[in-house]
Structures are given as structure tokens and as C-alpha cells.
Amino acid sequence: MSFKSVNDILGILEKQAKWQEQPFQRLLKCWAEVVGPVAARHTRPLSIQRDVLWVATSSAAWAQNLTFGRASLLLKLNQKLPTPLVDIRFSTAGWQHSSVERKQQQTILPHEHPSYLGDRISSSPDTIPSIQDANAAFGHWTKLVQERSHGLPLCPQCQSPTPPGELQRWTVCCICAAKQF
């Protein structure tokens, strides 16, 4: 049985980690260095498909300029990637879509939502009874909904109790607003 030094073991593990690292992840790490900081702000690598890198650009002008220089970009990228790329395609197609996804991923706090009612009912675990059957659970739920909606303004269209935030935002409840859209 042969013993290896810690340095040898760490070297082997480092090589395995680089070998197992996905090419796209490695590309994302070196993208700004390869294209430069200005171009990096106007581009976003989207994917690698069949050894072709797809890049979203902020405008058609950026796509055209980078397309003219793609041969030198390919050389620089292929020096840094384990699997060589065949081509790079620049397009504005994925630019807007990516920014919309980022906006959707932003978290909305509960108190910012128009349907938020605040602390109208404090249901602590002590006040919730242990419910054994479905009918008792439904009865408990309807009682809570009635207590929570008591005193709320009514929707002008369907006359259902509606949180004030929904009425301020849409002038109707969320159900009636969804029907309008």
C-alpha cells in the first residue's frame, strides 16, 4: 500500500473538479475577461448547443460588431475551455426575455401584495383545534374565512368581501379583475 502526500491528493482532486466542471459554467467565469468589460455589460451568454455558443446582446449593433470579431473571440475562449467551440451566434432574441425573468424572480413581500389584510386574525397554533375529519376541517376553514372577511368592503361587481388594496388597485376584486383581462 502506497501513501500519497496531501499535495498529490489535492492536485488530483483539483484536476477532477476541473474535468467535471461544465463548459458553460467555466465560460461564464471567463466571459468578461475575454470580451472586455464594456462588451460584457451588453452581452449575456445563454447556452452552448452542439458546440455553438449562443449569446444575447443588448442591441443589433452589438450583435453585428461582435459577429465580425467572433473568430478572435473563439480563439480566446477555446484556450480557456476544455471542449472547443465551433461557432458563436449573437442575437438580441434572449436579451429582453432574460430581464423579464429577473423581474419575475424578485420577491414580493406579503404586506406589499394588494390582497394583504394585515394582522386582522391572529391564529396561533394554540387556537387551532386538532381536526380529525374533512367536514370539521372545512367548517373550521369557513369560520376563519368569515371572520377574516367580516367588515371588508364589497366588490362593486360581485358583492364579495374584498381587501381594500385590491379595490384601490383594480376598483374590483381580483376575480373580477382577472375576468376583465
Side-chain angles (χ1 to χ4, degrees):
M1 177 194 231
S2 67
F3 292 103
K4 292 187 178 185
S5 72
V6 173
N7 288 336
D8 291 341
I9 295 171
L10 289 176
I12 292 169
L13 290 175
E14 184 179 356
K15 287 178 186 175
Q16 283 180 342
K18 285 183 181 177
W19 177 75
Q20 292 175 349
E21 184 179 32
Q22 297 296 323
F24 188 68
Q25 299 303 321
R26 186 178 271 182
L27 179 130
L28 290 176
K29 290 178 184 176
C30 68
W31 180 251
E33 177 187 335
V34 170
V35 298
V38 176
R41 285 194 301 269
H42 294 277
T43 58
R44 185 176 306 114
L46 297 176
S47 65
I48 297 175
Q49 297 173 1
R50 296 183 181 180
D51 297 329
V52 175
L53 172 63
W54 293 87
V55 180
T57 59
S58 63
S59 69
W62 274 104
Q64 185 176 16
N65 286 335
L66 291 169
T67 300
F68 291 140
R70 75 174 181 242
S72 65
L73 289 175
L74 271 172
L75 288 174
K76 291 178 186 177
L77 285 171
N78 285 339
Q79 289 174 354
K80 298 189 179 281
L81 297 176
T83 308
L85 295 172
V86 176
D87 198 6
I88 305 176
R89 304 283 167 85
F90 298 97
S91 171
T92 58
W95 187 260
Q96 292 296 327
H97 183 66
S98 299
S99 61
V100 168
E101 284 179 355
R102 271 198 223 119
K103 287 179 184 175
Q104 288 176 348
Q105 290 175 355
Q106 293 175 348
T107 306
I108 297 175
L109 298 174
H111 68 274
E112 294 173 347
H113 195 276
S115 300
Y116 181 69
L117 294 174
D119 297 328
R120 295 175 61 93
I121 301 227
S122 61
S123 58
S124 64
D126 300 337
T127 60
I128 299 174
S130 85
I131 299 169
Q132 299 299 325
D133 64 32
N135 288 331
F138 181 74
H140 179 69
W141 175 79
T142 55
K143 181 181 172 192
L144 285 176
V145 169
Q146 287 174 350
E147 288 175 5
R148 187 176 67 188
S149 62
H150 182 72
L152 289 178
L154 300 178
C155 171
Q157 282 187 356
C158 67
Q159 301 301 313
S160 66
T162 306
E166 289 181 12
L167 291 175
Q168 289 173 354
R169 185 172 187 177
W170 302 300
T171 67
V172 291
C173 70
C174 64
I175 306 296
C176 295
K179 288 178 185 176
Q180 291 173 0
F181 298 124

